[in-house]
Amino acid sequence: MQTLFENTEKAFSLKTDSQLKRAHLLFRMIANRPLVSLGTAITNFAIKGNLPVERLIRSTVFDHFCGGIHEQDCMPIIERMHEKGVNAILDYSVEGKETEIQFDLAKDKVLQVLDFARENRAVPFAVFKPTAFGRTLLYQKVSANQCLDRDEQSEWERIENRFNEVCKRACELDVGLLIDAEESWLQDAADNLVVKMMSVYNKEQAVVFNTAQMYRWDRLDYLKGLAEQARSENFKVGIKLVRGAYMEKESERAHQLGYRNPICESKEATDINFNAGVDFMMHHLEIFSIFLGTHNEKSTYKLIEMMDKMNIAHNDPRIWFGQLYGMSDNISYNLAEAQFLVAKYLPYGPVRDVMPYLIRRAEENTSVSGQTTRELFLIRKEIQRRKQVVVRDKGRARAGIIPC
């Protein structure tokens, strides 16, 4: 089983030679932290200055990491992935909006995706970030248990209503709903909202999923407490388990404000915490459904081995594996080949509006030790394999051997 993710022919079966070469170039650039910083600055300048850079961005980083501009634009990718057994999670990746009109538009977009998913078996989940539905400052105040004035209280009620509307629709349509994580100083407010939704809409099965960032040392206790609450209040818990996305920001803020860093003290400690979260939920599957959102092969193998040891079917609906589009295809497509349930996050949206997401993704990759190196190794391996196939076929042709 430990060689499952080495098959690059299956991993990159949907990529043309030119797409592989583009991927190789992109990951070489991402591996260079100074180059990422420079590229980020130039891109931000070009976008703010309304310079005509959309065509260049779309033909490079956007097309590698995103599905398109709108849902129908994503359909060719969704259909090709689904033919290989890999599902899609449409992620409208427009970030940084801060007005009520924009929050309502984000909510309407999630409802639209839920309706779209109901008609497309290849799209098993919708997704949103809590701050897509309300102001960051308000989440911060609620998380800190600060008093809200009358206007802020009304604003918070509108946020809760948006959560309720999309969770209710997801339950009615029987489509999973993943709710992404925020920074630690916003997360308590989001956690409380999501658990409130779970207690209403996860009575029979997990429809609503919260996200636990396991690079936080307190998240295992959070999962244990959530299990107790779910057991006492009779609801199911959906959890997307990830390592985390805001490590440098979290550490810097903790240092500046003088409180204990919420991040585990080392990569090894994070791995232990993550795997402990997997172990805990797997031993309480009567309560939990798991969406394992990771590019870490060792943690993925751990869950596979636990499923086999516990005689859990590869396609058990309580256990999903997820990766980002444009990354870790060796995990996604080889898992799908082995009949596991797999879904790729497929970001989409107007090119200019999605750029903050793409910039954040590039910056995160530079800080994940080994990930970019692994991507480059696999891409090079597949490029070399294809060259060898061409040489072999030419040799057979010269020898008059007709391939079967």
Side-chain angles (χ1 to χ4, degrees):
M1 183 62 75
Q2 293 292 321
T3 61
L4 178 63
F5 303 141
E6 301 302 318
N7 189 325
T8 59
E9 182 178 4
K10 286 189 174 70
F12 299 113
S13 60
L14 295 182
K15 282 189 165 42
T16 65
D17 290 347
S18 61
Q19 288 173 332
L20 265 184
K21 291 175 182 177
R22 181 185 65 187
H24 185 261
L25 175 61
L26 284 173
F27 280 108
R28 281 187 64 190
M29 294 171 64
I30 289 171
N32 188 319
R33 184 184 291 266
L35 191 58
V36 169
S37 298
L38 178 61
T40 296
I42 293 173
T43 302
N44 282 329
F45 175 80
I47 291 175
K48 290 177 182 178
N50 289 316
L51 299 179
V53 295
E54 290 189 27
R55 182 176 296 180
L56 174 62
I57 292 171
R58 170 125 205 203
S59 65
T60 54
V61 63
F62 184 93
D63 277 357
H64 182 81
F65 290 110
C66 298
I69 295 172
H70 48 71
E71 291 90 351
Q72 289 302 324
D73 199 21
C74 296
M75 279 308 299
I77 291 173
I78 292 172
E79 290 171 352
R80 287 198 299 271
M81 290 198 305
H82 196 242
E83 288 174 0
K84 301 292 184 180
V86 176
N87 298 280
I89 301 169
L90 284 171
D91 182 8
Y92 189 64
S93 299
V94 175
E95 301 180 355
K97 306 301 183 182
E98 284 284 309
T99 70
E100 289 294 301
I101 292 175
Q102 291 164 332
F103 299 145
D104 283 333
L105 286 173
K107 179 260 298 181
D108 291 341
K109 179 59 70 174
V110 176
L111 293 172
Q112 183 179 339
V113 171
L114 284 167
D115 290 338
F116 182 84
R118 183 65 179 88
E119 302 302 322
N120 290 272
R121 292 179 54 223
V123 184
F125 296 92
V127 62
F128 72 94
K129 276 174 65 68
T131 50
F133 284 9
R135 286 191 301 126
T136 299
L137 181 60
L138 208 56
Y139 281 94
Q140 185 173 345
K141 290 188 72 171
V142 172
S143 294
N145 293 316
Q146 296 178 6
C147 292
L148 305 182
D149 62 30
R150 182 177 299 177
D151 289 341
E152 289 172 331
Q153 186 60 46
S154 296
E155 191 178 347
W156 185 251
E157 289 172 2
R158 289 194 294 275
I159 292 173
E160 186 169 336
N161 288 338
R162 293 183 188 108
F163 267 74
N164 187 67
E165 188 173 351
V166 297
C167 291
K168 181 180 180 182
R169 180 75 65 85
C171 184
E172 291 170 348
L173 298 178
D174 193 25
V175 176
L177 184 61
L178 304 172
I179 302 174
D180 282 342
E182 302 284 356
E183 293 91 339
S184 62
W185 56 94
L186 313 177
Q187 190 60 46
D188 283 355
D191 283 344
N192 292 337
L193 272 179
V194 179
V195 173
K196 188 173 184 178
M197 297 299 115
M198 285 185 189
S199 69
V200 175
Y201 298 111
N202 285 9
K203 288 298 186 182
E204 301 298 326
Q205 61 181 347
V207 174
V208 179
F209 284 66
N210 201 13
T211 299
Q213 300 189 101
M214 300 306 289
Y215 68 179
R216 286 182 52 175
W217 48 262
D218 66 345
R219 291 294 86 179
L220 182 58
D221 286 340
Y222 167 74
L223 294 177
K224 292 177 179 179
L226 195 52
E228 292 181 6
Q229 182 178 352
R231 194 172 283 111
S232 65
E233 297 179 19
N234 193 31
F235 65 89
K236 305 297 184 183
V237 177
I239 290 291
K240 184 179 77 167
L241 206 72
V242 301
R243 276 170 169 76
Y246 310 106
M247 182 168 63
E248 293 181 357
K249 187 188 296 185
E250 291 278 5
S251 298
E252 182 179 348
R253 187 177 189 270
H255 177 73
Q256 289 178 346
L257 299 182
Y259 60 84
R260 182 182 177 185
N261 191 341
I263 305 302
C264 292
E265 61 184 12
S266 66
K267 171 67 164 59
E268 291 74 21
T270 296
D271 291 340
I272 291 170
N273 203 38
F274 185 94
N275 292 336
V278 172
D279 188 77
F280 177 76
M281 290 192 292
M282 285 294 289
H283 284 94
H284 295 86
L285 274 180
E286 75 281 4
I287 294 174
F288 286 98
S289 288
I290 304 169
F291 187 100
L292 196 79
T294 185
H295 299 152
N296 186 289
E297 295 176 19
K298 289 183 180 179
S299 292
T300 306
Y301 280 130
K302 174 181 172 61
L303 180 50
I304 292 171
E305 289 164 1
M306 289 192 71
M307 291 175 71
D308 289 343
K309 185 177 180 180
M310 297 168 72
N311 293 315
I312 296 171
H314 285 190
N315 62 349
D316 189 296
R318 295 169 296 178
I319 302 173
W320 282 80
F321 297 83
Q323 292 79 44
L324 297 170
Y325 181 72
M327 294 178 62
S328 296
D329 288 344
N330 66 310
I331 297 178
S332 306
Y333 289 93
N334 285 304
L335 280 173
E337 179 73 15
Q339 304 301 309
F340 291 96
L341 297 179
V342 186
K344 286 276 202 186
Y345 260 60
L346 188 62
Y348 74 103
V351 175
R352 287 178 178 269
D353 290 340
V354 172
M355 280 314 299
Y357 164 86
L358 290 174
I359 289 169
R360 179 165 61 84
R361 183 64 59 217
E363 291 172 341
E364 287 169 11
N365 271 279
T366 62
S367 65
V368 179
S369 176
Q371 178 63 43
T372 302
T373 302
R374 178 65 168 157
E375 295 282 355
L376 282 169
F377 169 79
L378 292 165
I379 292 168
R380 288 168 182 155
K381 180 180 176 182
E382 176 60 12
I383 290 172
Q384 185 61 33
R385 187 198 68 81
R386 292 185 185 187
K387 287 179 179 178
Q388 292 171 349
V389 169
V390 170
V391 170
R392 182 197 66 196
D393 289 348
K394 285 182 178 179
R396 287 180 172 178
R398 284 195 297 269
I401 300 173
I402 300 174
C404 296

PDB file of all heavy atoms in Angstrom, residues 1 80 85 137 188 226 232 248 276 317 319 339 397:
ATOM      1  N   MET A   1       0.821  -1.214   0.000  1.00  0.00           N
ATOM      2  CA  MET A   1       0.000   0.000   0.000  1.00  0.00           C
ATOM      3  C   MET A   1       0.856   1.266   0.000  1.00  0.00           C
ATOM      4  O   MET A   1       0.473   2.297  -0.530  1.00  0.00           O
ATOM      5  CB  MET A   1      -0.928  -0.011   1.226  1.00  0.00           C
ATOM      6  CG  MET A   1      -1.882   1.184   1.301  1.00  0.00           C
ATOM      7  SD  MET A   1      -3.040   1.289  -0.080  1.00  0.00           S
ATOM      8  CE  MET A   1      -4.184  -0.017   0.354  1.00  0.00           C
ATOM      9  N   ARG A  80     -14.089  15.630 -16.801  1.00  0.00           N
ATOM     10  CA  ARG A  80     -12.884  14.823 -17.024  1.00  0.00           C
ATOM     11  C   ARG A  80     -12.405  14.185 -15.729  1.00  0.00           C
ATOM     12  O   ARG A  80     -12.002  13.010 -15.711  1.00  0.00           O
ATOM     13  CB  ARG A  80     -11.774  15.692 -17.642  1.00  0.00           C
ATOM     14  CG  ARG A  80     -12.015  16.057 -19.098  1.00  0.00           C
ATOM     15  CD  ARG A  80     -10.731  16.530 -19.776  1.00  0.00           C
ATOM     16  NE  ARG A  80     -10.168  17.715 -19.149  1.00  0.00           N
ATOM     17  CZ  ARG A  80     -10.493  18.962 -19.497  1.00  0.00           C
ATOM     18  NH1 ARG A  80     -11.367  19.182 -20.464  1.00  0.00           N
ATOM     19  NH2 ARG A  80      -9.919  19.996 -18.898  1.00  0.00           N
ATOM     20  N   GLY A  85     -12.966   9.102 -11.545  1.00  0.00           N
ATOM     21  CA  GLY A  85     -13.403   8.812 -10.183  1.00  0.00           C
ATOM     22  C   GLY A  85     -13.137   9.905  -9.180  1.00  0.00           C
ATOM     23  O   GLY A  85     -13.343   9.708  -7.975  1.00  0.00           O
ATOM     24  N   LEU A 137     -14.090  41.913  11.557  1.00  0.00           N
ATOM     25  CA  LEU A 137     -14.062  42.544  12.881  1.00  0.00           C
ATOM     26  C   LEU A 137     -15.170  42.021  13.774  1.00  0.00           C
ATOM     27  O   LEU A 137     -14.987  41.865  14.989  1.00  0.00           O
ATOM     28  CB  LEU A 137     -14.169  44.063  12.735  1.00  0.00           C
ATOM     29  CG  LEU A 137     -14.123  44.860  14.043  1.00  0.00           C
ATOM     30  CD1 LEU A 137     -12.806  44.612  14.771  1.00  0.00           C
ATOM     31  CD2 LEU A 137     -14.304  46.348  13.770  1.00  0.00           C
ATOM     32  N   ASP A 188     -13.560  31.029  17.148  1.00  0.00           N
ATOM     33  CA  ASP A 188     -14.545  30.645  18.160  1.00  0.00           C
ATOM     34  C   ASP A 188     -15.958  31.033  17.730  1.00  0.00           C
ATOM     35  O   ASP A 188     -16.909  30.259  17.908  1.00  0.00           O
ATOM     36  CB  ASP A 188     -14.214  31.293  19.509  1.00  0.00           C
ATOM     37  CG  ASP A 188     -13.075  30.580  20.226  1.00  0.00           C
ATOM     38  OD1 ASP A 188     -12.625  29.534  19.722  1.00  0.00           O
ATOM     39  OD2 ASP A 188     -12.629  31.082  21.270  1.00  0.00           O
ATOM     40  N   LEU A 226     -16.533  18.256  21.256  1.00  0.00           N
ATOM     41  CA  LEU A 226     -17.607  18.233  20.269  1.00  0.00           C
ATOM     42  C   LEU A 226     -18.299  16.873  20.244  1.00  0.00           C
ATOM     43  O   LEU A 226     -19.528  16.787  20.103  1.00  0.00           O
ATOM     44  CB  LEU A 226     -17.014  18.556  18.891  1.00  0.00           C
ATOM     45  CG  LEU A 226     -17.960  18.927  17.753  1.00  0.00           C
ATOM     46  CD1 LEU A 226     -18.915  20.041  18.159  1.00  0.00           C
ATOM     47  CD2 LEU A 226     -17.144  19.351  16.538  1.00  0.00           C
ATOM     48  N   SER A 232     -24.654  14.047  23.604  1.00  0.00           N
ATOM     49  CA  SER A 232     -25.696  14.472  24.554  1.00  0.00           C
ATOM     50  C   SER A 232     -26.873  15.143  23.851  1.00  0.00           C
ATOM     51  O   SER A 232     -28.012  15.048  24.315  1.00  0.00           O
ATOM     52  CB  SER A 232     -25.109  15.427  25.601  1.00  0.00           C
ATOM     53  OG  SER A 232     -24.673  16.635  24.996  1.00  0.00           O
ATOM     54  N   GLU A 248       2.162  31.385   9.752  1.00  0.00           N
ATOM     55  CA  GLU A 248       3.047  32.530   9.975  1.00  0.00           C
ATOM     56  C   GLU A 248       2.278  33.700  10.577  1.00  0.00           C
ATOM     57  O   GLU A 248       2.776  34.396  11.472  1.00  0.00           O
ATOM     58  CB  GLU A 248       3.725  32.917   8.661  1.00  0.00           C
ATOM     59  CG  GLU A 248       4.703  31.849   8.167  1.00  0.00           C
ATOM     60  CD  GLU A 248       5.387  32.237   6.875  1.00  0.00           C
ATOM     61  OE1 GLU A 248       5.057  33.306   6.327  1.00  0.00           O
ATOM     62  OE2 GLU A 248       6.253  31.472   6.406  1.00  0.00           O
ATOM     63  N   ALA A 276      -3.548  12.116  15.596  1.00  0.00           N
ATOM     64  CA  ALA A 276      -4.365  11.814  16.775  1.00  0.00           C
ATOM     65  C   ALA A 276      -5.828  12.177  16.516  1.00  0.00           C
ATOM     66  O   ALA A 276      -6.745  11.484  16.978  1.00  0.00           O
ATOM     67  CB  ALA A 276      -3.836  12.571  17.992  1.00  0.00           C
ATOM     68  N   PRO A 317     -19.418   6.211   2.923  1.00  0.00           N
ATOM     69  CA  PRO A 317     -19.791   7.620   2.743  1.00  0.00           C
ATOM     70  C   PRO A 317     -19.387   8.534   3.892  1.00  0.00           C
ATOM     71  O   PRO A 317     -19.461   9.759   3.754  1.00  0.00           O
ATOM     72  CB  PRO A 317     -21.318   7.569   2.590  1.00  0.00           C
ATOM     73  CG  PRO A 317     -21.728   6.292   3.261  1.00  0.00           C
ATOM     74  CD  PRO A 317     -20.601   5.332   3.008  1.00  0.00           C
ATOM     75  N   ILE A 319     -16.341   8.774   4.995  1.00  0.00           N
ATOM     76  CA  ILE A 319     -14.912   9.086   4.899  1.00  0.00           C
ATOM     77  C   ILE A 319     -14.569   9.554   3.489  1.00  0.00           C
ATOM     78  O   ILE A 319     -14.719   8.808   2.511  1.00  0.00           O
ATOM     79  CB  ILE A 319     -14.043   7.867   5.268  1.00  0.00           C
ATOM     80  CG1 ILE A 319     -14.375   7.402   6.696  1.00  0.00           C
ATOM     81  CG2 ILE A 319     -12.560   8.212   5.139  1.00  0.00           C
ATOM     82  CD1 ILE A 319     -13.698   6.110   7.100  1.00  0.00           C
ATOM     83  N   GLN A 339     -10.801   3.073  -5.452  1.00  0.00           N
ATOM     84  CA  GLN A 339     -12.220   3.137  -5.069  1.00  0.00           C
ATOM     85  C   GLN A 339     -12.510   3.915  -3.792  1.00  0.00           C
ATOM     86  O   GLN A 339     -13.584   3.771  -3.200  1.00  0.00           O
ATOM     87  CB  GLN A 339     -12.819   1.719  -4.953  1.00  0.00           C
ATOM     88  CG  GLN A 339     -12.677   0.875  -6.210  1.00  0.00           C
ATOM     89  CD  GLN A 339     -13.329   1.505  -7.427  1.00  0.00           C
ATOM     90  OE1 GLN A 339     -14.478   1.894  -7.370  1.00  0.00           O
ATOM     91  NE2 GLN A 339     -12.562   1.630  -8.513  1.00  0.00           N
ATOM     92  N   ALA A 397       8.260   0.660 -33.699  1.00  0.00           N
ATOM     93  CA  ALA A 397       7.845   0.984 -35.066  1.00  0.00           C
ATOM     94  C   ALA A 397       8.952   0.630 -36.068  1.00  0.00           C
ATOM     95  O   ALA A 397       8.692   0.089 -37.141  1.00  0.00           O
ATOM     96  CB  ALA A 397       7.482   2.463 -35.170  1.00  0.00           C
TER      97      ALA A 397
END
